[in-house]
Amino acid sequence: MEGLKSVDWSKLLSSDIGIPHDVTLEIVSAELLNKEPGEDDVQTSKRGATNLFTAHKFALAAVSPVFRRQFYGSIPAGDVVVVKDSNVEAFKIMLDYVYQSPGVEEVENLDVFDLLDVFYLADKYEVLGLKEKLLKRFRDMSVNVSNYEDILRALQEFAHFEDACDVLKSRVLYLIGRHSNPLDLVEGAIESKEDSIKEKVIFSLGKVGKSLILESVKAAYDIMASDGCNLEEKVLKTVMNACVEGYEEILESPRKLCEFIPKPSSHLHEAYSLLQQFWKVNFCLNCSSSACLKGKKVVVHKLKVGACVQIDDKKGKVSEVGLSMYNKVKWMYCQNSPYCSSSCPYMQKQSIYCTSPTHGEWSNYLPPESAKTCSGLHKSPEGTHCKILLETNKVVEGSKDSLLVYDCEN
């Protein structure tokens, strides 16, 4: 004898099965609620189905505690149940789920608005299996630039579904964090009512602020000025610091600066004024930058006299910055040379090279052990190295063994 598990429940949706339907469900959408007098009461969906469904009370009650109370509670509902604020497509998907019809797989192909319409019914009627299926669909949903703004609008329209919106919001935040050009996401952030979305996009603008300076400034301030934005000015720091770094590099080249300054009629002219204002207000005299460099490695050729620095955990003030020249010397490798032996008084570092007046030729380079470097901070001429004099009369050389950083007050 076959058990219930062997039953194809989807066949029960057909009235030809021989088990009559005992309840009619009328789907009343917002359009029907607002219809003009005299219009037909039967609505046709985009799939060709009417707004009337028939089903079995026992099947609906078995899956939904809400239907169970409606049909078998102390005051049972009649044979016609009105389902408000829904639509035909969404209710059909829930009905397919109840009867385990193959059509339930259609949720994989729905857009975010249709999915949330179905989620509304699953939540309203406590069809928990369908609700979890939809939450999984949200967790796996691919969020990209093409559907990003639609999802933001859906988050606003269905904000009362916190569990679904929390999942969708996390997907949106993931996109914002990894998208290579956050300028693509600015319009959505401006329209969004979520401060967390606005803040994330502003922060991400720091990735392109150094290269797309004025565009990033404009985008950040446009988001800050958008409706419903309650963010504080401090959220601008990351993107503005990146923009300032790019701007200060441009200031070193008059030609680049001339090309950079927008025309008065440009849509970026206000952004340029905002950038200059930020640069002036936040300028650090110690490191000569508005993007304060405290704790960052010193660029020696940009270091100013009077700047406070820190070297090997010791603080000091710069009293002189310059380059020192090492004189060239006569030297040659002479380990096997007839001129030298291990006892050669001119021999340096155990028979590597010697500086005898009669040995070798004038070299174009310093002997290896005497060569100095400047830690890659800047290229210096051959035979020179960086020299920084602190007020303590200590000379700091830009060697790889010393970490020289800015010690600003900010």
Side-chain angles (χ1 to χ4, degrees), residues 70-83:
Q70 274 189 294
F71 300 144
Y72 303 110
S74 58
I75 306 178
D79 294 337
V80 178
V81 175
V82 176
V83 179

Side-chain angles (χ1 to χ4, degrees), residues 108-304:
E108 302 300 326
N109 302 317
L110 297 179
D111 65 26
V112 65
F113 288 99
D114 290 338
L115 284 169
L116 285 166
D117 282 337
V118 180
F119 188 87
Y120 163 74
L121 290 172
D123 183 73
K124 178 179 180 179
Y125 290 102
E126 300 179 25
V127 184
L128 301 184
L130 179 57
K131 186 175 179 180
E132 183 54 41
K133 183 180 182 71
L134 292 166
L135 286 174
K136 182 180 185 303
R137 176 72 181 91
F138 293 141
R139 285 191 289 268
D140 297 338
M141 179 177 287
S142 175
V143 180
N144 48 53
V145 175
S146 62
N147 64 3
Y148 160 77
E149 293 187 15
D150 285 340
I151 293 176
L152 290 181
R153 284 193 291 271
L155 287 174
Q156 185 173 330
E157 184 176 338
F158 294 89
H160 48 290
F161 295 136
E162 293 185 6
D163 41 2
C165 287
D166 285 345
V167 174
L168 286 171
K169 190 189 299 183
S170 69
R171 300 295 298 148
V172 171
L173 292 173
Y174 178 74
L175 166 71
I176 297 171
R178 65 190 293 268
H179 189 59
S180 58
N181 186 7
L183 289 171
D184 296 335
L185 311 176
V186 171
E187 285 303 317
I190 290 173
E191 296 299 324
S192 174
K193 302 300 181 184
E194 295 281 345
D195 277 345
S196 59
I197 300 294
K198 296 177 185 288
E199 183 176 3
K200 186 73 171 182
V201 173
I202 291 174
F203 181 82
S204 295
L205 286 168
K207 293 187 291 189
V208 296
K210 191 172 181 178
S211 55
L212 299 171
I213 301 171
L214 295 182
E215 293 84 354
S216 298
V217 173
K218 182 180 185 304
Y221 277 91
D222 283 350
I223 295 173
M224 291 293 293
S226 61
D227 291 341
C229 182
N230 298 307
L231 298 175
E232 298 180 5
E233 289 283 330
K234 62 183 181 181
V235 303
L236 293 168
K237 184 174 181 180
T238 298
V239 59
M240 292 305 294
N241 280 348
C243 294
V244 161
E245 287 183 25
Y247 179 56
E248 289 179 349
E249 288 183 4
I250 289 175
L251 290 176
E252 296 178 9
S253 169
R255 181 183 181 87
K256 289 183 179 180
L257 180 61
C258 180
E259 295 172 351
F260 175 77
I261 298 175
K263 295 179 180 179
S265 59
S266 171
H267 70 290
L268 295 175
H269 189 265
E270 183 180 358
Y272 179 60
S273 298
L274 291 168
L275 175 67
Q276 287 185 306
Q277 182 179 356
F278 181 90
W279 183 76
K280 178 178 177 63
V281 171
N282 294 277
F283 192 79
C284 175
L285 295 174
N286 188 64
C287 61
S288 298
S289 172
S290 288
C292 184
L293 304 174
K294 181 177 181 178
K296 294 185 178 181
K297 205 169 185 179
V298 165
V299 179
V300 177
H301 71 277
K302 295 182 179 180
L303 194 60
K304 306 297 182 184

Side-chain angles (χ1 to χ4, degrees), residues 9 13 20 45 58 64 113 218 226 279-280 319 338 358 361:
W9 295 98
L13 279 171
S45 77
F58 78 89
S64 164
F113 288 99
K218 182 180 185 304
S226 61
W279 183 76
K280 178 178 177 63
S319 59
T358 59
E361 302 292 337

